[in-house]
């Protein structure tokens, strides 16, 4: 006979923490505490297998369950020496759901089960408190009707309010035993009206009904949605925990409370929590009375006049402190505890790993290593990489109220508040006056860069995660929300419409670049506090990981930030960003709009010394670390003037007719610039551009002794790369000859087109390295333009068609197969091929795991995500093992 | 000892036609003719292996070559009883190159080799004609200097002209023996001046110099370029043919000529060619004298007064006719022959398969089957599928002069001339007056359709092979050149600039939609002549092929054309084309710009009856043949009004504010529409559109009994197709219920994104068929927008980076791997999956072969390409074998 029921807390305990899958989280930990000898009210757990069978068999219980439940119940009765449904000292039960992982979508708890018109009288006698008994009774009917029978909770609250009105009193405390009795009767009438079935009076019927309700709560729409969103398999099922009641509300020597074994907000190693005297658990949640501090220290810190538990119940408190130490030592993690004191005696009702802020997680993990509780690798595994963003960027005060007026893409993390400005110049003026502003634009362009730098944050109504605004903001570490389509901007009139309201430059707004929310008004932000623990944890992470982590950076500022965050090189230096400065864009435009090669070369000659200076600066900062420089990638029309005025300026500089120039500019416009004349296609048609860039790189390398990695973008065929490689090699040879300096450099390519991934074997012979540009690879594999996707991706998420935004988390099934194939085929053709990734996914923890798994050498991401990538890489190495690379030399950076 | 030299025509002939690779085409066929007993002047062939070794060994001849050449030469001397360099009856030789395939880039011929100041005197005596001897001598020096020594041919011509001036004569015939002698001396002086080396007098030195020249001509830049363009491997090398001279210029009983065994222009079964009395081969080419007819019939047809060979040399002619029959019978194909008559005796100098027009190829192939010379499958293999375009569209008279002013993309085949018009209305007015016009637009839009129909051809300056103009023109069978970027159009001023010239509506132009050329003025076109032979050949092709051939068609006119061309169904009905008519676009725009779902449904309700009528008409025409209907695919902004006037019209129809409408339209604009909100993404966001279309399809099916195939575009994931399939199935169920008619239908999907191809196993369960949209698959795999590619693809071709335009011929290595993977994975998941292709590649012969090879069920292409696809499919089945499918049931259509 299969065992369906596991007892705990009585004479013997059958389960334990290791049986989490079978008993659910709550049940397994109750058993574990009982095993440890902690005071757990006796009870039993019906396994998750029963739930699974229940659904397989058309909502029938498996054979033998009833007998096993009755037997387990008898054990509980014996342990507490009370009888379920007994008219003497009745045993009351709590019934709780409990899946393998905590699931808010499911039934929570029914307390005081077993009460009816007869047992309530017995309870009144045995407790010596009639009001307590009838209060317990009405609570039971109310909870049972709500969570097990689905009757609207509001109907009961209304009745209570009616009665208080009739009696002219304000508080529940003003109602007496008779009031509660009458209300209970009324509640049962409501249940009959609402469900058409009388409220079950027989305790066993109540129990089975509650068990069934827990089973069925596994399939509520809310639970299903939660499972879908969190990838929880349907077959897991939920367990049911049935446990003898203990009462925190039987008098002044009773209490109920919750505690964290350490401070979940700061990580401080001190008991943290609250308790309420003479109350049941739900009272803490309901917030009718203000809970009191547990410790004297906390009470003092809060300035509370009320007696902390440490004072009011010194014995129970001492016991609690003992158990805190015991639980932490046993579970080797900070615990979140529920407890009840019944007539002076402490009972443990739950323990589980406590949720915590990023800062606390970090502090606790580091402290526990120092205390010897866990090892460094375990500490590394304890921190959610994504959570580091909280440590590195200002975050919104979680308690502050948010008046959300629009949502966009979380383009660059951090929260920022400020007055609205619509132009870069206005932002700069405000910054000069030390005023915080948010730059609001339909989209940004190179001319806005000074304003983006001056602003606290950037909000755009158009463009995606890889738009100009997003990329530049991430590089600068500025908060940015992009593509907030519902925001209408009329910059000329100085008006922004959002959420049906009108905002002007007189108004302040707040943006959260981590969530994409846009809020009216100023909201308090919390500045990040990077402690020594952070550096310690990162050191442990670096020891564990195999993947190297580089940064995407082009300016000296970016490069310095990258080094500060621990980047081991630059994986992507986008040279086009170097042409956006005001003094350069003119020469760039002159080049683009030149009549012929001679004209282009004249303009390029102006850019050469600037590019060379850029690279010299970059090489000096990176000081021997590898630097991968991508040659010009975007279509040239991105650099073109948009206004007549700017066109005239370029025309004057180039000495040509403005109208003619305008026409030439129009000719460069494209239907689909993403798939247009860009990347190495520019190098094929206008080799002089790549020649200038290669020359600037090599002259800077000759000056500094750097060993640059030159990267060719948007390659689709092997012959394309060979063609461009010849141009670069030729230029290098010229520089070697002119400077009489030997150069060490390598040439590689982005793999960002499906064809390039498939034909990796044909491309690898000409490439010393592949860098996967997973942004463009995702765009082309899915056929989705990131900039335009906002108009339909919402419907895809709502319809459950796409679980994740493939631009945030790498689509391992599709895009990932291309990456994997390219890595395999490339390495087969060229065993020393270096492999990295430099798309936005390089900073996404799940994607980093994938990169480790397929054996890439490095990931590269924006500077502020470098710590996240370092941590994710360490976790991947620890959990997936380092086997893949053990027989290799240490990876090249 | 390796055999380097193969003799022919003397006592024994060692080679034959089967040794083409070793002896080259010319040498192998000379040997074959000698073997057949035809009169071939004796000679020998130095093998292509010698050439290969020559280059491998640093331009040295292999050991043994010299001995073998000398031995072979001795055999020739014996055969003709003359001595090479002999001062009695000197043997003269011709030396010719001859690769495996004919290569215009190489050295052609040296005649009369062996002459010097001594042997020429002997020749004068033996021929009894001193002038002939010295004329031959100067010809030899001239040719040798030109082709073997690289001296500019013009220098010699100048000398001849000088002499004629001095003598006051006009014709070469007026120069005597002494004149030629003097000129020869002068020529040798020129050679010495130009090359610094005296002209070689010793006959053996001449021979080895000529052999070396042939070898080296394999590596001239011209030959290398030709090889690259025609994929001829470098290792093939060229053979050298050395042959005893025979003279067609020794008197009035001598002649030289060329002949085709059948008419290469019409295919008529009659000898076709020309000859010249008393001339050497080069005189025919030089065109100084007009060659005469061979046959009486031809002379009469030409109205020639001169005596045809049939009259003038009846015996030699009779011998020629015998050999014609013998050669055709032996080679089983029409031959292109060179011959010489020396003092009444006929000698054969060359035979090879003759080049011919498409019409002739067809006629000859069909006739030869009827004559019993070849079988039907061989006839099918004889026709280049692409050549059928000549048979189906007007072509430009190849002899007419072309004044090319611009080049664009060959968007829709056929040639057309007409007056320039810049608007659709002007085109319609001109057509009403029966005037031929070419519609010239920067790009076309739905409003231009009536004008496109009225015009003879369409020229656009923007847009690619899949632009509106290109797609619509192909459907209509109109000639179209698209994306002629160098053409500047100012429609308002009524001016077009091209090739630096200005054209107005007073000017006529000609376009060639098969080449993309745009020419000034009217150029004679040749109308296609479809003979009974065409139908016969197609019948044989249909018997041979396994691939089904369908057409891409949406209008009744297209569908009728498709059936006329033998389509076995519609593989792609693009429903969006049905919304372009003037009465529909208004409702379409109203739908797109509606405020909400209700507004959209109101507009869709107007479209429903029109769509239903379309499908009823289509189903009736296709009469039980399969029809695949693709649901709406393009981004909606493609349908939007472009002018204020049109916007106002739509606003009035929809009863909304025009300004508001304009704003909504702007919001639909996209950065990269190709990767934007289109395809099934429209069905996810606005399901009511697909519901309307599905309803129209199913109501039409219920009315006609058709069994439609509903196709979902742009699917990237399995869940996406399942989501849309549910909408379609639901609609079908409604129609079944409402009409009480059972419906047979299937639902499938386009595979046009790399991710869809890779995830075929996940998509196949919801798809009854896959149709590969290789246009979009090429765009996404390569990351190239077809519309924008013209700005760089030219540089790719010029740089040798891309051999073919991947939009014309499927990129088998990259895109092809995706198609292959999808076919394999799809079929593995669903064995009854039907597979087809409906991109432009469906009509490209090379791509059709690939489709056959990987076992697709059908290809679908524009109606006018259906015959090409049928023929290509037959050739694939014949040459690749039908093995793959023999164990399958006949493919479903």
């Amino acid at each position: 006979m299969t065992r369906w029921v596991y007892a705990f807390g009585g004479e013997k305990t059958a389960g334990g923490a290791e049986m989490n899958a079978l008993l659910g989280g709550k049940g397994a930990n109750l058993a574990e505490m009982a095993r440890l000898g902690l005071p757990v009210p006796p009870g039993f757990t019906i396994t998750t297998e029963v739930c699974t069978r229940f659904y397989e068999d058309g909502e029938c219980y498996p054979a033998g369950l009833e007998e096993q439940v009755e037997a387990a119940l008898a054990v509980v009765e014996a342990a507490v020496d009370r009888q379920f449904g007994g008219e003497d000292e009745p045993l009351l039960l709590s019934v709780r759901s409990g899946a393998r992982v905590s699931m808010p979508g499911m039934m929570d708890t029914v307390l005081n089960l077993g009460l009816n018109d007869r047992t309530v009288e017995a309870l009144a006698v045995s407790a010596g408190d009639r009001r307590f008994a009838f209060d317990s009774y009405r609570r039971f009917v109310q909870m049972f009707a709500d969570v097990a029978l689905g009757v609207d909770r509001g109907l009961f609250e209304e009745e209570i309010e009616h009665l208080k009105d009739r009696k002219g009193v304000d508080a529940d405390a003003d109602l007496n035993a008779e009031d509660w009795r009458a209300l209970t009767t009324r509640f049962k009438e409501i249940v009959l009206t609402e469900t058409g079935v009388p409220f079950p009076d027989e305790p066993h019927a109540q129990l089975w009904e509650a068990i069934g309700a827990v089973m069925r709560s596994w399939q509520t729409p809310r639970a299903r949605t939660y499972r879908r969103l969190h990838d929880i398999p349907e077959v897991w099922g939920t367990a049911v925990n049935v446990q003898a009641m203990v009462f925190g509300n039987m008098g002044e020597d009773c209490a109920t409370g919750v505690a964290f074994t350490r401070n979940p907000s700061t990580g401080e190693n001190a008991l943290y929590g609250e308790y309420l005297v003479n109350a049941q658990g739900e009272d803490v949640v309901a917030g009718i009375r203000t809970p009191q501090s547990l410790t004297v220290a906390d009470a003092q810190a809060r300035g509370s006049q009320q007696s902390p538990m440490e004072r009011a119940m010194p014995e129970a408190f001492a016991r609690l402190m003992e158990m805190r130490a015991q639980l932490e030592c046993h579970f080797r993690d900070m615990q979140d505890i529920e407890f009840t004191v019944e007539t002076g005696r402490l009972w443990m009702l739950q323990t589980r790993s406590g949720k915590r802020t990023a800062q606390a997680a970090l502090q606790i993990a580091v402290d526990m290593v120092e205390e010897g509780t866990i090892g460094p690798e375990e500490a590394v595994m304890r921190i959610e990489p994504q959570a580091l963003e909280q440590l590195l960027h200002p975050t919104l005060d979680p308690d502050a109220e948010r008046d959300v007026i629009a949502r966009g893409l979380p383009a660059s993390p951090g929260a920022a508040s400020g007055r609205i400005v619509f132009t870069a110049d206005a932002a700069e003026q405000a910054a000069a006056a030390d005023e915080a502003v948010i730059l609001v634009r339909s989209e940004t362009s190179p001319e806005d860069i000074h304003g983006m730098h001056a602003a606290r944050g950037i909000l755009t109504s158009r463009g995606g995660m890889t738009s100009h605004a997003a990329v530049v903001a991430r590089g600068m570490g500025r908060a940015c929300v992009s593509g907030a389509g519902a925001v209408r901007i009329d910059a000329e009139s100085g008006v922004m419409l959002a959420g049906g309201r009108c905002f002007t430059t007189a108004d302040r707004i707040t943006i959260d670049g981590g969530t994409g929310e846009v809020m009216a008004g100023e909201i308090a932000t919390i500045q990040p506090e990077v402690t020594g623990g952070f550096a310690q944890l990162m050191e442990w992470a670096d020891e564990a990981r195999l993947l190297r982590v580089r940064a995407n950076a082009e300016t000296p500022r970016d490069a310095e930030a990258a080094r500060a965050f621990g980047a081991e090189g630059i994986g992507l230096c986008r040279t086009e960003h170097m042409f956006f400065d005001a003094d350069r864009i003119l020469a760039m435009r002159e080049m683009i709009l030149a009549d012929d090669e001679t004209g282009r070369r004249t303009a390029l000659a102006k850019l050469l010394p600037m590019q060379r200076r850029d690279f010299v600066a970059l090489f000096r900062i990176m000081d021997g670390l590898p630097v991968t420089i991508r040659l010009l990638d975007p279509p040239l029309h991105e650099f073109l003037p948009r206004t007549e005025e700017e066109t005239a300026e370029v025309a004057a500089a180039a000495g040509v007719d403005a109208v003619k120039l305008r026409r030439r500019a129009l000719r460069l416009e494209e239907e689909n610039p993403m798939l247009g004349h860009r990347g190495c296609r520019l190098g094929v048609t206008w080799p002089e551009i790549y020649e200038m860039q290669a020359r600037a790189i090599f002259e800077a390398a000759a000056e500094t002794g750097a060993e640059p990695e030159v990267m060719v973008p948007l390659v689709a065929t092997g012959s394309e790369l060979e063609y461009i490689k010849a141009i670069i090699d030729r230029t290098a040879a010229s520089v070697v000859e002119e400077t009489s300096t030997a150069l060490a450099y390598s040439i590689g390519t982005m793999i960002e087109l499906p064809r390039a991934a498939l034909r990796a074997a044909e491309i690898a012979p000409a490439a010393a390295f592949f860098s996967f540009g997973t942004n463009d690879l995702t765009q082309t594999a899915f056929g989705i333009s990131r900039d335009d996707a906002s108009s339909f991706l919402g419907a895809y998420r709502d319809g459950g068609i796409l679980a994740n935004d493939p631009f945030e988390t790498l689509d391992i099934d599709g895009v990932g197969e291309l990456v994997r194939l390219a890595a395999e085929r490339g390495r087969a053709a060229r065993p020393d091929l270096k492999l990295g990734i430099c798309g936005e996914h390089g900073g996404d923890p799940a994607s980093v795991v994938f990169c480790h798994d397929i054996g890439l050498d490095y990931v590269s991401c924006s500077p502020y995500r470098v710590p996240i990538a370092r941590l994710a890489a360490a976790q991947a190495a620890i959990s997936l093992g380092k086997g893949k690379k053990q027989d290799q030399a240490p990876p090249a950076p």
Side-chain angles (χ1 to χ4, degrees), chain A:
Chain A
M1 172 63 74
T2 311
R3 181 166 194 170
W4 305 117
V5 174
Y6 286 75
F8 59 78
E11 262 175 39
K12 57 173 191 230
T13 291
E18 75 287 355
M19 295 169 78
N20 182 61
L22 188 64
L23 304 181
K26 187 190 294 277
N29 278 2
L30 281 169
E32 189 72 15
M33 285 196 290
R35 243 195 214 163
L36 290 173
L38 269 54
V40 173
F44 55 89
T45 302
I46 302 173
T47 67
T48 56
E49 278 180 10
V50 173
C51 182
T52 310
R53 290 286 293 269
F54 181 72
Y55 283 107
E56 282 171 6
D57 300 347
E59 307 207 357
C60 288
Y61 295 119
L65 178 68
E66 200 175 335
E67 293 78 353
Q68 293 186 26
V69 166
E70 291 303 329
L73 191 56
V75 172
V76 175
E77 287 174 325
V80 298
D81 194 20
R82 290 167 181 254
Q83 235 198 317
F84 188 55
E87 296 187 10
D88 197 6
E89 295 227 358
L91 167 66
L92 301 189
L93 299 172
S94 69
V95 178
R96 293 174 169 101
S97 61
R100 216 186 275 202
V101 292
S102 172
M103 262 186 60
M106 282 165 52
M107 192 189 93
D108 192 16
T109 301
V110 176
L111 299 180
N112 305 334
L113 187 135
L115 283 176
N116 56 26
D117 292 346
R118 281 165 290 114
T119 53
V120 71
E121 296 291 350
L123 179 65
V125 172
S126 78
D129 185 342
R130 191 169 177 77
R131 186 185 179 282
F132 156 74
F134 280 94
D135 184 21
S136 297
Y137 192 14
R138 70 90 193 176
R139 282 174 191 255
F140 161 60
V141 174
Q142 217 171 326
M143 282 175 111
F144 190 94
D146 172 24
V147 303
L149 306 178
V151 178
D152 179 5
R153 171 191 290 264
L155 297 173
F156 306 117
E157 296 298 339
E158 269 173 34
E159 288 299 325
I160 299 175
E161 290 311 310
H162 282 315
L163 181 61
K164 287 198 282 196
D165 283 355
R166 278 201 305 276
K167 291 193 65 170
V169 300
D170 280 339
D172 285 6
D174 298 325
L175 299 179
N176 60 27
E178 181 49 31
D179 293 333
W180 289 130
R181 200 202 50 74
L183 275 172
T184 306
T185 308
R186 176 72 197 114
F187 285 179
K188 290 189 180 176
E189 286 166 14
I190 290 174
V191 168
L192 180 60
T193 314
E194 292 292 312
T195 66
V197 181
F199 188 89
D201 276 335
E202 208 286 305
H204 285 86
Q206 291 172 358
L207 177 59
W208 283 104
E209 191 124 16
I211 291 170
V214 171
M215 300 278 171
R216 269 182 288 270
S217 72
W218 181 248
Q219 292 291 10
T220 59
R222 216 154 45 101
R224 283 161 171 271
T225 304
Y226 187 88
R227 281 203 294 278
R228 187 167 52 71
L229 292 176
H230 293 81
D231 273 338
I232 299 172
E234 182 146 336
V235 293
W236 279 8
T238 180
V240 185
N241 297 292
V242 179
Q243 193 173 16
M245 283 295 303
V246 286
F247 296 96
N249 57 345
M250 272 172 67
E252 292 305 309
D253 57 351
C254 300
T256 188
V258 295
F260 288 86
T261 56
R262 303 190 185 211
N263 188 319
S265 181
T266 65
E268 190 198 353
N269 187 0
L271 188 71
Y272 177 96
E274 312 176 310
Y275 86 123
L276 267 177
V277 172
N278 197 10
Q280 227 171 19
E282 54 174 340
D283 299 322
V284 181
V285 180
I288 297 161
R289 287 154 56 194
T290 305
Q292 294 149 246
S293 294
L294 295 177
T295 63
V296 172
D298 187 53
Q300 282 168 350
R302 292 200 202 182
S304 167
Q305 301 306 317
Q306 293 186 287
S307 188
M309 185 179 179
E310 190 171 358
R311 284 261 159 73
M313 299 180 164
E315 275 173 50
F317 179 80
R319 188 86 179 92
L320 185 61
M321 288 299 280
E322 273 171 48
M323 289 180 196
R324 166 182 177 251
Q326 201 177 353
L327 286 172
E328 270 211 350
C329 175
H330 184 72
F331 287 104
R332 305 167 63 249
D333 196 8
M334 185 265 268
Q335 296 293 297
D336 170 359
I337 297 167
E338 287 178 24
F339 65 90
T340 284
V341 180
E342 191 186 66
T343 55
R345 185 166 175 208
L346 182 73
W347 292 96
M348 302 298 288
L349 298 183
Q350 171 154 304
T351 191
R352 58 183 176 188
S353 282
K355 295 217 184 303
R356 62 206 84 178
T357 63
Q359 198 196 330
L362 184 70
Q363 197 56 53
I364 292 169
V366 172
D367 284 350
M368 284 194 162
V369 173
E370 278 164 12
E371 292 158 17
T373 311
I374 60 175
E377 291 204 343
E378 201 166 354
V380 165
M381 294 305 289
R382 290 274 172 94
I383 315 297
E384 180 69 41
Q386 204 69 61
L388 292 185
E389 285 206 339
Q390 283 180 39
L391 293 182
L392 302 172
H393 295 282
T395 50
L396 288 179
D397 180 347
D399 299 329
E401 236 174 80
R402 300 181 182 202
D403 177 8
V404 175
I405 54 173
R407 266 167 227 280
L409 297 168
S412 178
S417 295
R419 187 170 64 78
I420 293 172
V421 294
F422 291 110
T423 67
D425 291 341
E428 203 169 45
Q429 284 155 21
D434 219 16
E435 186 191 10
V437 292
I438 304 291
L439 177 61
V440 177
R441 306 278 296 165
S442 49
E443 52 195 337
T444 64
S445 73
E447 293 99 83
D448 296 324
I449 289 191
H450 63 292
M452 296 173 74
H453 193 235
R456 295 289 165 92
I458 297 114
L459 166 63
T460 71
S461 58
R462 301 189 63 171
M465 297 287 286
T466 52
S467 63
H468 179 264
V471 171
V472 173
R474 277 196 296 275
M476 289 179 175
R478 285 286 169 289
C480 176
V481 172
S482 69
V487 173
R488 295 261 155 276
I489 297 162
D490 186 346
E492 272 179 42
S493 327
V495 173
M496 170 182 109
L497 296 169
R501 287 143 69 184
C502 185
F503 298 82
T504 70
T505 52
D507 295 309
R508 296 182 170 275
I509 56 170
T510 300
I511 61 171
D512 186 339
T515 64
E517 283 176 334
V518 183
M519 290 143 283
E522 195 141 350
I523 294 176
T525 53
I526 300 173
Q527 287 304 313
E529 210 179 305
V530 177
T531 63
F534 176 76
Q536 176 61 74
L537 189 89
M538 283 294 129
E539 199 185 308
W540 292 330
D542 290 346
E543 278 164 20
R545 74 188 155 89
L546 285 174
L547 268 177
R548 297 282 173 150
V549 177
R550 300 194 194 177
N552 301 347
E554 32 275 333
T555 64
R557 196 174 48 230
D558 295 346
E560 274 157 8
R563 290 212 64 179
F565 284 121
E568 295 163 291
I570 290 177
L572 176 63
C573 166
R574 288 158 291 211
T575 49
E576 56 269 23
H577 287 205
M578 298 172 160
F579 297 127
F580 283 154
D581 283 359
D583 56 330
R584 301 173 179 202
I585 192 116
L586 198 64
M588 189 67 183
R589 287 169 175 174
E590 191 187 325
M591 187 278 290
I592 296 166
L593 297 172
D595 247 329
D596 51 21
E597 191 186 320
T598 314
R600 281 194 294 276
R601 287 197 182 273
T602 306
L604 286 165
K606 298 182 192 170
L607 287 168
L608 175 66
M610 307 186 200
Q611 277 258 289
R612 186 176 48 226
R613 274 200 304 277
D614 291 335
F615 294 131
V616 166
L618 217 51
F619 292 153
R620 293 228 159 102
I621 292 168
M622 297 312 291
D623 193 24
L625 290 175
V627 177
T628 305
I629 298 163
R630 181 177 72 185
L631 300 180
L632 192 69
D633 181 47
L636 297 183
H637 46 78
E638 283 198 6
F639 298 95
L640 287 188
R642 297 178 190 208
T643 65
E644 290 296 333
E645 201 182 342
E646 288 172 324
T647 308
E649 197 186 347
V650 178
V656 297
D657 178 42
V659 175
K660 192 176 145 204
L661 209 65
R662 191 83 202 131
R663 273 201 204 128
R664 193 137 2 101
L666 280 176
R667 233 194 297 163
L668 286 170
E669 278 182 10
E670 294 185 302
E671 294 289 316
N672 295 290
M674 159 68 207
L675 307 176
H677 192 172
R678 50 169 290 228
C680 66
R681 294 160 196 171
L682 298 170
V684 170
T685 52
W686 295 352
E688 54 275 14
I689 300 178
Y690 277 15
E691 274 171 28
M692 181 281 284
Q693 293 200 295
R695 173 166 287 276
I697 293 167
F698 294 131
E699 288 180 355
E703 191 176 331
T704 59
E707 301 183 359
E709 300 174 342
V710 183
M711 182 154 73
V712 182
L714 212 72
V715 159
T717 74
S719 52
E720 217 172 8
L721 180 59
E722 287 159 21
Y723 192 93
I724 300 289
K725 183 173 184 292
I727 295 172
I728 301 169
D729 282 334
R730 210 158 51 223
T731 307
S734 298
V735 173
V736 166
E737 202 183 302
E738 291 159 22
T739 63
S740 306
T741 310
L743 282 177
Y745 68 96
S746 60
I747 297 173
T749 182
M750 300 278 288
I751 298 288
E752 50 189 336
L753 297 174
R755 191 186 192 281
L758 292 169
R759 304 299 298 165
E762 161 195 317
I763 293 170
F769 58 89
F770 282 176
S771 181
F772 292 98
T774 49
N775 294 347
D776 280 2
L777 197 56
T778 300
Q779 293 199 84
T780 46
F782 270 91
I784 293 182
S785 158
R786 189 63 182 99
D787 288 331
D788 302 313
S790 53
S791 58
F792 55 86
L793 272 193
Y796 271 68
R797 270 190 299 262
D798 296 345
I801 301 174
L802 274 182
N804 295 307
D805 180 339
F807 293 100
E808 285 174 16
T809 295
L810 191 75
D811 160 49
I812 290 176
D813 289 343
V815 179
E817 179 172 4
L818 288 172
V819 173
R820 192 188 299 267
L821 278 176
E824 284 168 10
R825 294 177 179 186
R827 280 217 170 111
R830 180 172 181 147
D832 68 341
L833 186 69
K834 192 153 54 166
L835 298 174
I837 180 176
C838 67
E840 287 300 315
H841 299 105
D844 170 67
S847 310
V848 170
V849 172
F850 172 75
C851 293
H852 170 92
D853 191 34
I854 64 167
L856 299 194
D857 296 303
Y858 68 89
V859 299
S860 187
C861 55
S862 59
Y864 285 79
R865 307 205 94 192
V866 164
I868 298 173
R870 285 160 71 195
L871 183 55
Q875 294 187 351
I878 294 166
S879 59
L880 296 178
K882 307 178 182 182
K884 287 212 170 178
K885 296 224 179 170
Q886 263 167 358
D887 49 351
Q888 292 182 18

